[in-house]
């Protein structure tokens, strides 16, 4: 599904060049459940941003379903993100002034979908994370776990084949964190490729494949 | 993305920050209200002035002796030209399209009766003056149609002269003394009011021939010609010119049409209204700066949201439009509120001070509304473009 070849991402910090990703080469199959681990500054989040087309490499090749993505224009990358990639963030990233249903509608609105059709999909998505009775609640009226479940529902509402999660349990208590991971694992079992960046060793070991990064390099890749 | 969704998102955002949205829109509201109110007052003055000038009728051409120079002085003052005579006036009446030709001579003299006396405007005219100037007779009759040289010492007095000189008696048939001559009052004019400070009721009308003798003048001061409605004014002016040149041997007269006068007056008043609108527009600029500031703050506050939108697949154009529409909404709503406020205040002013002329200038109202929206677009464009240009990964990381 995904082939990364010699991906490099450098940042200039003063006079120094930081190699956030250094010749990273990876093959990811459809339906994989991968955890990306490593110390702070090891390049895990940069790798996730690269996979999600939120950032672009300085060099290297990124093939997604045999399509080269590094050459895509800004507008086409936006469209690709909308259709193929779901994001889950540590801090949920819900729009505070929109209700749970409103937040779920956002990606659908971007496609120009009719409101009636959107409402049906939103109801289904909320029901899939057990929050159908919280549709009209603002994010501040929801618990952390509920907010992250809304974020998962939003990430999945376009039914993308790839789900990227950056520390999805980082802001949650153990119980809520467990629930979120179980929700993500259920999604993975339906065939969605799941890539989770985490510091949590226990969480990392639940994945079918663990990638260890240090100084922008993949130092360990174990299935 | 659908237009309705852009609007819904913009409305949600403005509703979420009610007080801030209100205060920002207030800047535009004040600006538009100022433009609407000031142009309404300007329009009122314009309408009042034009009304004053057209109350004599709209189809009048005035002929004055002397050729006006660039400074507009009449040759009658310099008196190096052939006088404009009663015969000239009578001959002009024969031209095609002419309904009346009123010879005019005017001066200020004391008018006396019994032991009462009043300095007043004395106008030497003919029997056609009421028809030409749209005056009406309240009592008796106007001057009769008599050969100019045989005109008797008859007079018609204005409403004020009646109340001042004949407060308790019927003036008809009574004698008044003008200068050293005695005149019989045969009519009283209907009350007319003032025009630009001149009291039209404080006047006495006598035959033009008697007036010329009274003021010791050889020339009339003006001939007012009333022409048929729908008649070609330019052609008539040419005919008058040709006719008088034939009689005088040279163009020693000046023709002024009411259209010329109204055109000049209209231009002046339009400039006045535009200046007033310009002053009001300064408030609009201030409102625009307010929107720019608030939208810049909004973009800074919502960088993470912009990053999220980009992560969800929003294009740069979509993000630009979202913020642009918010700014346009703010200015548009502010504009509508300003329009209603301006109209409301103008209406209240007119209701409480009926003498104050107020006339809503709808073209300025619409222009102000368009400018308000345009101000919003301009003020919102830069912050919106900045929002869209943010790299998504940096925007998401922003605190």
């Amino acid at each position: 599904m995904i082939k990364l070849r010699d991906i490099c991402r450098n940042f200039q910090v003063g006079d120094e060049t930081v190699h956030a990703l250094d010749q990273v080469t990876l093959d990811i199959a459809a339906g994989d459940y991968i955890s990306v681990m490593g110390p702070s500054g090891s390049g895990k989040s940069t790798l996730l941003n690269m996979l999600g087309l939120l950032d672009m490499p300085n060099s290297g090749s990124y093939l997604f379903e045999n399509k080269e993505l590094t050459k895509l224009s800004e507008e086409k990358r936006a469209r690709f993100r909308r259709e193929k990639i779901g994001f889950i963030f540590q801090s949920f990233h819900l729009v505070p002034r929109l209700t749970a249903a409103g937040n779920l509608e956002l990606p659908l609105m971007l496609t120009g979908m009719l409101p009636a059709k959107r409402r049906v999909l939103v109801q289904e998505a909320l029901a899939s994370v057990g929050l159908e009775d919280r549709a009209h609640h603002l994010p501040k009226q929801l618990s952390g776990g509920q907010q992250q479940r809304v974020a998962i529902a939003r990430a999945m509402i376009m039914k993308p084949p790839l789900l990227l999660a950056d520390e999805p349990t980082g802001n949650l208590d153990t119980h809520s964190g467990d629930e979120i991971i179980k929700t993500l694992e259920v999604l993975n079992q339906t065939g969605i490729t799941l890539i989770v960046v985490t510091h949590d060793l226990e969480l990392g070991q639940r994945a079918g494949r663990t990638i260890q990064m240090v100084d922008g390099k993949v130092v360990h890749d174990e299935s | 993305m659908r237009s309705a969704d852009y609007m819904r998102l913009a409305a949600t955002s403005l509703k979420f920050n009610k007080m801030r949205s209100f205060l920002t829109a207030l800047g535009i509201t004040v600006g538009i209200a100022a433009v609407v109110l000031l142009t309404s007052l300007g329009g009122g003055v314009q309408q009042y002035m034009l009304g004053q000038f057209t109350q004599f009728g709209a189809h009048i051409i005035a002929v004055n002796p002397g050729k006006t120079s660039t400074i507009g002085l009449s040759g009658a003052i310099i008196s190096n030209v052939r006088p404009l005579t009663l015969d000239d006036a009578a001959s002009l009446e024969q031209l095609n399209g002419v309904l009346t030709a009123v010879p005019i001579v005017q001066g200020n003299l004391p008018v006396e009766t019994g032991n009462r006396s009043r300095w007043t405007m004395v106008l030497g005219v003919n029997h056609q003056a009421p028809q030409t100037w749209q005056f009406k007779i309240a009592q008796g009759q106007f001057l009769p149609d008599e050969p100019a040289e045989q005109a008797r010492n008859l007079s018609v007095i204005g409403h004020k002269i009646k109340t001042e000189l004949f407060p308790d008696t019927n003036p008809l048939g009574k004698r008044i003394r003008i200068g050293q001559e005695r005149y019989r009052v045969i009519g009283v004019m209907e009350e007319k009011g003032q025009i630009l400070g001149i009291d039209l009721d404080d006047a006495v009308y006598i035959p033009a021939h008697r007036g010329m003798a009274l003021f010791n003048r050889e020339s009339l001061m003006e001939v007012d010609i009333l022409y048929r409605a729908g008649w070609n004014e330019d052609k008539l002016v040419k005919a008058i010119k040709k006719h008088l040149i034939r009689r005088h041997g040279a163009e020693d007269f000046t023709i002024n049409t009411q259209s010329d006068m109204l055109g000049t007056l209209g231009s002046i008043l339009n400039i006045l209204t535009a200046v007033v609108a310009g002053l009001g527009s300064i408030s609009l600029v201030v409102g625009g700066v307010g929107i720019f500031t608030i939208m810049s703050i909004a973009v800074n506050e919502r960088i993470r949201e912009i990053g999220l939108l980009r992560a969800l697949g929003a294009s740069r154009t979509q993000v630009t439009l979202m913020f642009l529409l918010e700014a346009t909404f703010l200015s548009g709503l502010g504009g509508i509120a300003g329009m209603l406020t301006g109209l409301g205040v103008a209406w209240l002013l007119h209701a409480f001070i009926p003498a104050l002329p107020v006339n809503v200038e709808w073209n300025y109202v619409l222009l102000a509304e368009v400018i308000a929206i345009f101000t919003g677009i301009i003020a919102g464009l830069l912050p919106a473009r900045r929002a869209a240009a943010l790299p998504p990964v940096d925007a998401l990381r922003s605190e």
Side-chain angles (χ1 to χ4, degrees):
Chain A
M1 181 189 187
I2 293 173
K3 286 182 178 157
L4 296 183
R5 293 290 176 269
D6 300 324
I7 292 287
C8 290
R9 181 68 173 110
N10 307 322
F11 296 105
Q12 202 67 34
V13 181
D15 293 337
E16 195 184 345
T17 303
V18 176
H19 301 283
L21 292 178
D22 191 2
Q23 303 279 320
V24 172
T25 294
L26 276 177
D27 285 314
I28 298 167
D32 269 2
Y33 174 13
I34 301 171
S35 65
V36 183
M37 302 185 70
S40 290
S42 60
K44 344 182 262 299
S45 290
T46 307
L47 176 65
L48 205 72
N49 291 334
M50 206 63 65
L51 287 166
L53 291 180
L54 294 175
D55 199 3
M56 295 305 285
N58 297 103
S59 62
S61 160
Y62 177 5
L63 287 172
F64 191 109
E65 293 170 345
N66 294 320
K67 186 175 182 180
E68 177 59 58
L69 301 186
T70 55
K71 303 279 191 291
L72 289 183
S73 66
E74 177 63 42
E75 295 296 295
K76 281 184 177 163
R77 285 206 299 273
R79 191 186 175 94
F80 195 88
R81 279 196 296 272
R82 193 190 307 158
E83 291 171 356
K84 302 282 187 182
I85 304 167
F87 291 94
I88 296 162
F89 304 97
Q90 180 178 356
S91 52
F92 322 132
H93 275 307
L94 297 179
V95 179
R97 61 181 178 280
L98 296 179
T99 60
N103 269 281
L104 261 65
E105 263 194 286
L106 263 181
L108 304 175
M109 273 186 191
L110 295 173
T111 67
M113 188 183 285
L114 290 169
K117 195 172 174 191
R118 290 200 307 247
R119 275 193 288 276
V120 174
L121 290 177
V122 166
Q123 278 308 312
E124 282 175 11
L126 279 171
S128 73
V129 292
L131 288 175
E132 57 268 57
D133 57 338
R134 295 286 187 271
H136 302 296
H137 285 58
L138 289 171
K140 67 180 178 189
Q141 297 167 317
L142 301 171
S143 69
Q146 288 172 328
Q147 287 188 52
Q148 194 61 301
R149 275 149 67 194
V150 172
I152 291 171
R154 183 180 62 193
M156 293 311 302
I157 203 157
M158 293 290 291
K159 299 186 173 39
L162 176 62
L163 191 55
L164 304 173
D166 192 357
E167 302 278 8
T169 60
N171 277 359
L172 301 175
D173 58 60
T174 314
H175 175 69
S176 300
D178 280 347
E179 279 191 348
I180 292 301
I181 286 301
K182 281 175 189 160
T183 306
L184 292 176
E185 285 172 353
V186 168
L187 288 170
N188 174 244
Q189 282 158 16
T190 64
I192 289 167
T193 307
L194 175 63
I195 302 175
V196 181
V197 164
T198 182
H199 275 105
D200 185 338
L201 190 61
E202 192 184 334
L203 171 60
Q205 285 170 347
R206 290 173 71 142
R209 178 178 167 194
T210 306
I211 292 172
Q212 196 76 33
M213 293 192 71
V214 176
D215 293 337
K217 291 179 191 292
V218 175
V219 294
H220 190 77
D221 187 350
E222 181 184 298
S223 296
Chain B
M1 198 164 152
R2 296 157 54 82
S3 313
D5 290 332
Y6 279 115
M7 285 190 229
R8 200 185 121 198
L9 285 177
T12 311
S13 177
L14 298 179
K15 223 167 84 179
F16 196 70
N17 291 301
K18 281 192 197 82
M19 184 53 78
R20 181 197 283 183
S21 303
F22 169 73
L23 291 174
T24 311
L26 192 61
I28 293 289
T29 302
V30 170
I32 295 289
V35 171
V36 171
L37 185 60
L38 290 174
T39 54
S40 295
L41 291 174
V45 170
Q46 187 167 5
Q47 199 181 48
Y48 171 76
M49 297 280 278
L50 290 175
Q52 291 283 301
F53 275 92
T54 52
Q55 65 173 298
F56 296 111
H59 302 104
I60 294 178
I61 294 172
V63 181
N64 300 94
K67 180 72 186 154
T68 48
S69 65
T70 48
I71 55 168
L73 276 176
S74 166
I77 296 168
I78 303 166
S79 71
N80 58 353
V81 293
R82 190 175 162 147
L84 199 57
T85 63
L86 288 167
D87 286 343
D88 286 333
S91 68
L92 284 169
E93 201 184 327
Q94 306 308 314
L95 294 178
N96 279 339
V98 173
L99 292 174
T100 66
V102 180
I104 305 165
V105 61
Q106 182 208 323
N108 270 316
L109 283 172
V111 177
E112 299 163 17
T113 181
N115 58 353
R116 298 180 81 92
S117 175
R118 182 177 178 84
W119 276 83
T120 190
M121 177 170 67
V122 177
L123 280 154
V125 295
N126 69 4
H127 64 287
Q128 293 170 323
Q131 183 191 352
T132 309
W133 295 335
Q134 297 182 0
F135 285 6
K136 286 185 180 144
I137 311 293
Q139 259 185 288
Q141 63 170 85
F142 200 72
L143 300 171
D145 181 9
E146 293 178 328
E149 284 76 12
Q150 294 165 28
R152 291 169 289 166
N153 281 14
L154 300 175
S155 67
V156 176
I157 59 174
H159 179 79
K160 187 140 200 174
I161 299 297
K162 177 191 176 279
T163 54
E164 291 294 324
L165 298 187
F166 302 99
D168 305 316
T169 54
N170 184 351
L172 296 184
K174 300 283 190 310
R175 302 278 175 179
I176 55 173
R177 181 179 290 280
I178 304 172
Q180 297 305 312
E181 296 183 3
R182 282 159 61 85
Y183 287 80
R184 185 157 59 90
V185 177
I186 60 165
V188 179
M189 302 302 291
E190 203 171 72
E191 195 172 356
K192 189 77 178 173
Q194 292 195 350
I195 169 169
L196 303 176
I198 299 168
D199 191 348
L200 297 172
D201 299 322
D202 199 357
V204 173
Y205 301 89
I206 60 172
H209 181 68
R210 313 276 349 147
M212 288 171 80
L214 199 61
F215 298 124
N216 195 24
R217 292 184 61 97
E218 286 184 11
S219 173
L220 294 169
M221 297 169 86
E222 185 170 300
V223 177
D224 277 4
I225 295 163
L226 175 71
Y227 62 91
R228 281 180 214 285
W231 199 266
N232 188 315
E233 190 183 63
D234 291 340
K235 277 189 182 169
L236 185 57
V237 167
K238 279 180 191 159
I240 293 168
K241 190 183 276 186
K242 195 175 165 188
H243 178 78
L244 286 178
I245 287 174
R246 197 169 59 237
R247 287 179 63 87
H248 290 201
E251 190 178 342
D252 56 355
F253 53 86
T254 303
I255 299 172
N256 293 304
T257 66
Q258 200 153 23
S259 315
D260 293 340
M261 190 186 68
L262 291 177
T264 309
L265 183 68
S267 305
I268 294 166
L269 293 173
N270 279 337
I271 290 168
L272 175 77
T273 309
V275 168
V276 160
L279 290 173
S281 307
I282 294 170
S283 323
L284 266 181
V285 173
V286 176
V289 172
I291 289 186
F292 176 79
T293 310
I294 291 299
M295 289 314 295
S296 298
I297 292 171
V299 167
N300 282 341
E301 281 180 354
R302 283 155 59 187
I303 286 179
R304 275 156 66 92
E305 183 187 320
I306 294 162
L308 169 76
L309 287 167
R310 300 299 310 281
L312 292 177
S315 66
R316 282 182 172 167
T317 311
Q318 284 175 322
V319 173
T320 305
L321 284 174
M322 281 178 202
F323 279 87
L324 204 54
L325 206 69
E326 268 186 46
T328 311
F329 249 51
L330 269 178
S331 58
L333 290 175
I336 290 170
M339 190 172 75
L340 294 175
T341 307
L343 292 174
V345 174
W347 182 81
L348 281 175
L349 273 176
H350 190 59
F352 284 102
I353 316 170
L356 190 71
V358 175
N359 182 47
V360 176
E361 295 280 306
W362 287 103
N363 50 344
Y364 277 103
V365 173
L366 291 175
L367 184 68
E369 191 63 29
V370 170
I371 289 174
I373 291 171
F374 192 66
T375 306
I377 292 172
I378 294 292
L381 194 62
L382 207 63
R385 285 174 66 97
R386 195 164 66 83
L390 287 169
V393 68
D394 293 344
L396 280 167
R397 273 202 215 110
S398 149
E399 290 304 321

